[in-house]
Amino acid sequence: MAAPPAPATVETAPTASSGARRVLAGLALPISLAIVTALLLLWLAAQPLDSIERRQLDLGVLARRLVEHLELTLLSTAIVVALAVALGIALTRPRLRPLAPLGVAVANIGQAVPSIGLLVLIAIVAGIGPDKAILALVAYSFLPILRNTLVGLGGVDRSLIEAGRGMGMSVWQTLRRVELPLAVPVILAGVRTALAINVGTATLATFVDGGGLGDTITAGIRLGRETVLVAGAALTAVLALALDWAAGWIESALRPRGLDP
Amino acid sequence: MAETPISPAAPPPAAAIRLEAVTKRYRGQAEPAVDALTLEVRPRELLVMVGPSGCGKTTTLRLINRLLDADEGWITVDGEDTASLDPDALRTRIGYVIQQVGLFPHMTVAENVATVPRVLGWDRARIARRAEELLELLGLDPADFGDRFPRELSGGQAQRVGVARAMAADPPILLMDEPFGSLDPITRARLQDELLRIQGSLAKTILLVTHDIDEAIKLGDRIAIVDRGARALQVAAPERVLSDPADDYVREFVGSGAALRRLGLLRVRELEPGHWPALPRAAERHVVRDELIASGRPAALLLDEAGRPWRWVTARELERGGEPGTEPGVPASAELTPAATLHEALDAIVRGGVGAAAAVGDGGALHAIVDLEAIMAAADPSRPSQRTAGGEEAGLVRS
Ligand SMILES: Nc1ncnc2c1ncn2[C@@H]1O[C@H](COP(=O)(O)OP(=O)(O)OP(=O)(O)O)[C@@H](O)[C@H]1O
Ligand SMILES: [Mg+2]
């Protein structure tokens, strides 16, 4: 009896070279950002600068403003993550669920008011300084994280919660081991949005003496020095893109394995 | 009573689960989902609750493990009123297989199985050992399946994992909500057989819910037939439900195939064997012929030297004789065992084409010849049941 030919098996596992290609593709953005930054610095170095420009474009000054900007962005985002996720968890508990629309409505006010208006309002009420700027950023970026937390937790299959509870997991254990991990992708998408909002809006911190790259940009406008303006705007853009890339990377790293790829 | 008192009857075993007039009404529903249900699950029995969709089966299970609290009535587990117990602690003692399987998609198979041991704070090594043990028990190779995610499982594999997860902390009681739902009939039958095998060695107290009467009959030590509001219409051994339905509803639910279903409950070894001629193949032809004619049967069974069924021959074939080098008659199948159901016996008879089938014991030697008359006599519900509790396993060993 002749044996039938064995069916050819098709190898579909990703090969090493395609994996390497994926890593390269992932690094394309940071590499091009580094190149853009280097070109910017070269361009600035090639410009004939007057003393005002030199003061504004001093590398130490630029670096300080960049760091301030980063601090404003990351600190406000961290605070808003802690607050909005906690509120989102609370508003998805059975007892508080009826209040969820109210929570979203309030958070919506924060975002509906124009950011500059919100900033001025806070300055009038609370005074000026970086902490007031952070307060404004928190209020301004609260909604996306709250909304995504509500959506993410609300989207967890009821039967999974039932399975967890039915096997003796406490409410807290079910939240930590089942609900939150499953909601993480949606919540992180909200965090990425909030980060994008905050890195842009942080340029306005300069109006309440909050520091950041907004200082460079407004100085460029106020003093009529275009090179300064371009440097501030370009650095802000580079920072925003870099942060978004990092957030995207964290998003995929924290996405639980086992969910659809 | 004049007789000397016989030894006092053993006290009835305390119920493992007991529901007493339990009623549950969901908010906004006019009819109660569970209406004054009284039901008892005995220790180490597999009780199957069977009823139509929406009749309150899942609700009943959720009341027992206190995912829901009853509006009226009370429930005890191992004699303790569940209302007085901490729900989380109660649930770690009761394995629960939910209707939707509900494997956690972000956890591997091994992690899913480890859910309850983790809640109980077992150490890592013990959890890992237990997960392997359970996967093996349910026929899944731990090396292959342990690290898979639920989306990488077939439906049947997922349901096995669901059962393994419920059994992880070795709870004495299991609640199983349609554990084999939505599977193809073959996989379903295989999982049912495995549950029976596992139950045979572990003897848990199991309350299993299904809407499939055949599954109930196959699995249940007893079955509870319920209607809307989880009202129990009959709670009895499957045999009893088939032969003696409590009312028209049960009769209808059991369906017109009740007589055939009973065949699935009876075993070949419980039959009165038919009297058919069976002779060694070395016997003289005329001897075989005379015996065959005397018996009034259409065919005789010839046995080989080891006493194994060899061929069926008819009188005509014996008379005609055979051309040299050919054997008379048709080959006798030897697939039937004393443990086979009458359903299988009937199938063998119909396929064999001589009106009877040979059942073989250990080593393939002839055990008995089964025919339609014997099956009809056994399946006749007016005759007292021959199936005795406990005797079945003993019979299997002896035969
Ligand atoms: N959470 C709920 N809220 C309101 N009504 C419910 C709820 N869960 C179930 N019900 C209703 O209670 C009744 C019994 O439901 P249950 O889930 O116990 O039925 P079941 O016997 O398990 O059905 P199935 O075989 O379809 O799973 C149904 O009429 C159902 O609509
Ligand atoms: Mg159900």
Side-chain angles (χ1 to χ4, degrees):
Chain A
M1 216 173 78
T9 53
V10 182
E11 204 57 58
T12 53
T15 56
S17 82
S18 92
R21 218 175 303 140
R22 192 138 13 97
V23 170
L24 273 186
L27 288 177
L29 186 78
I31 290 171
S32 33
L33 287 182
I35 294 172
V36 167
T37 311
L39 289 177
L40 177 71
L41 293 178
L42 286 175
W43 178 72
L44 287 178
Q47 298 300 308
L49 300 175
D50 61 22
S51 66
I52 295 174
E53 286 168 331
R54 235 175 286 137
R55 200 170 335 117
Q56 289 293 335
L57 294 175
D58 175 66
L59 274 187
V61 171
L62 279 183
R64 200 186 67 230
R65 287 180 176 158
L66 188 77
V67 168
E68 280 170 0
H69 202 100
L70 201 59
E71 277 173 2
L72 285 171
T73 307
L74 293 184
L75 212 57
S76 59
T77 306
I79 292 171
V80 84
V81 166
L83 294 180
V85 170
L87 184 65
I89 290 171
L91 290 179
T92 47
R93 298 310 94 188
R95 272 199 223 133
L96 293 182
R97 200 166 297 146
L99 295 180
L102 186 68
V104 172
V106 172
N108 210 356
I109 296 176
Q111 200 171 41
V113 174
S115 44
I116 184 80
L118 189 68
L119 207 60
V120 170
L121 210 64
I122 285 175
I124 291 171
V125 174
I128 56 172
D131 48 341
K132 308 305 180 307
I134 287 177
L135 188 64
L137 292 177
V138 166
Y140 196 58
S141 60
F142 203 83
L143 183 65
I145 299 191
L146 175 66
R147 199 173 39 204
N148 278 39
T149 305
L150 291 175
V151 169
L153 288 174
V156 174
D157 189 345
R158 294 295 312 163
S159 69
L160 297 178
I161 299 173
E162 172 114 357
R165 299 286 287 133
M167 285 186 297
M169 290 168 86
S170 66
V171 173
W172 172 240
Q173 285 167 331
T174 312
L175 177 67
R176 217 183 58 224
R177 293 188 195 159
V178 180
E179 294 177 73
L180 281 178
L182 290 174
V184 149
V186 183
I187 295 177
L188 283 182
V191 173
R192 198 171 169 181
T193 308
L195 202 56
I197 292 174
N198 283 343
V199 74
T201 314
T203 50
L204 302 180
T206 181
F207 296 118
V208 291
D209 201 14
L213 289 168
D215 283 358
T216 308
I217 296 173
T218 45
I221 297 171
R222 205 176 55 240
L223 305 171
R225 296 294 191 285
E226 254 176 49
T227 39
V228 176
L229 177 61
V230 167
L235 281 181
T236 309
V238 166
L239 183 63
L241 289 170
L243 277 179
D244 189 61
W245 174 82
W249 189 83
I250 291 172
E251 210 177 339
S252 59
L254 289 189
R255 181 183 178 82
R257 287 164 64 228
L259 301 188
D260 297 348
Chain B
M1 276 181 272
E3 271 131 331
T4 50
I6 40 173
S7 61
I17 304 172
R18 196 178 158 81
L19 295 94
E20 189 69 44
V22 171
T23 296
K24 175 67 194 181
R25 202 175 265 102
Y26 285 110
R27 200 170 304 158
Q29 303 267 306
E31 299 279 307
V34 171
D35 192 1
L37 172 64
T38 296
L39 186 71
E40 196 182 293
V41 189
R42 298 174 188 155
R44 299 176 176 274
E45 84 168 329
L46 201 173
L47 179 69
V48 180
M49 188 179 200
V50 55
S53 184
C55 72
K57 303 181 297 291
T58 299
T59 306
T60 303
L61 298 186
R62 301 176 71 208
L63 285 166
I64 292 170
N65 69 12
R66 287 201 55 197
L67 282 174
L68 291 173
D69 282 318
D71 297 329
E72 289 159 40
W74 44 265
I75 300 172
T76 62
V77 167
D78 287 332
E80 291 177 283
D81 187 346
T82 55
S84 68
L85 299 172
D86 170 49
D88 289 338
L90 172 72
R91 289 179 203 135
T92 56
R93 280 164 47 190
I94 302 179
Y96 184 34
V97 181
I98 71 166
Q99 189 166 7
Q100 302 85 346
V101 188
L103 297 184
F104 303 129
H106 59 300
M107 296 185 194
T108 63
V109 165
E111 285 166 347
N112 266 285
V113 174
T115 305
V116 185
R118 268 186 73 189
V119 170
L120 294 175
W122 292 13
D123 64 65
R124 271 172 181 283
R126 184 171 169 213
I127 292 179
R129 229 177 310 125
R130 182 62 181 157
E132 277 194 16
E133 204 175 290
L134 275 167
L135 290 178
E136 250 157 38
L137 181 71
L138 282 147
L140 297 173
D141 175 12
D144 183 4
F145 288 92
D147 293 330
R148 288 203 201 182
F149 285 101
R151 69 183 161 85
E152 298 162 333
L153 300 176
S154 72
Q157 289 160 351
Q159 292 192 320
R160 283 168 202 259
V161 175
V163 174
R165 184 173 67 171
M167 296 175 60
D170 205 16
I173 298 175
L174 286 170
L175 304 177
M176 311 180 89
D177 198 345
E178 304 236 7
F180 314 127
S182 63
L183 290 178
D184 64 277
I186 294 172
T187 310
R188 197 179 166 97
R190 194 176 307 147
L191 282 176
Q192 289 166 346
D193 291 338
E194 269 165 43
L195 178 65
L196 286 175
R197 173 178 62 78
I198 292 167
Q199 175 65 355
S201 59
L202 298 183
K204 303 276 181 193
T205 301
I206 301 179
L207 177 54
L208 185 147
V209 153
T210 179
H211 56 246
D212 177 357
I213 182 71
D214 289 309
E215 178 163 278
I217 290 167
K218 177 170 179 184
L219 295 178
D221 294 318
R222 293 191 303 151
I223 61 186
I225 300 205
V226 297
D227 190 11
R228 292 207 68 79
R231 273 178 297 119
L233 303 175
Q234 186 170 15
V235 185
E239 173 91 346
R240 184 68 192 271
V241 172
L242 290 176
S243 62
D244 189 13
D247 60 17
D248 287 345
Y249 177 88
V250 176
R251 195 185 316 277
E252 195 186 331
F253 196 81
V254 168
S256 53
L260 271 178
R261 291 206 176 95
R262 274 172 56 81
L263 295 183
L265 287 173
L266 299 170
R267 310 270 158 185
V268 166
R269 75 175 89 86
E270 297 159 19
L271 286 180
E272 228 23 74
H275 295 287
W276 288 62
L279 295 102
R281 68 174 170 192
E284 294 288 339
R285 232 165 235 198
H286 67 89
V287 177
V288 179
R289 210 181 124 256
D290 291 349
E291 278 230 16
L292 184 50
I293 288 167
S295 71
R297 301 291 182 182
L301 179 63
L302 297 181
L303 306 173
D304 67 10
E305 289 68 24
R308 292 180 298 223
W310 180 56
R311 295 181 86 81
W312 288 100
V313 290
T314 61
R316 261 233 321 248
E317 284 159 346
L318 285 168
E319 274 159 20
R320 224 191 303 133
E323 289 139 51
T326 63
E327 312 286 4
V330 294
S333 141
E335 292 162 4
L336 216 53
T337 66
T341 64
L342 295 199
H343 213 280
E344 292 160 326
L346 188 61
D347 186 61
I349 292 171
V350 172
R351 273 189 293 125
V354 292
V360 297
D362 291 336
L366 180 66
H367 166 83
I369 293 177
V370 182
D371 60 10
L372 281 180
E373 276 167 65
I375 289 179
M376 276 158 63
D380 181 353
S382 64
R383 281 162 47 110
S385 162
Q386 301 178 341
R387 198 190 190 208
T388 48
E392 202 172 309
E393 288 310 303
L396 179 62
V397 174
R398 244 180 273 124
S399 63

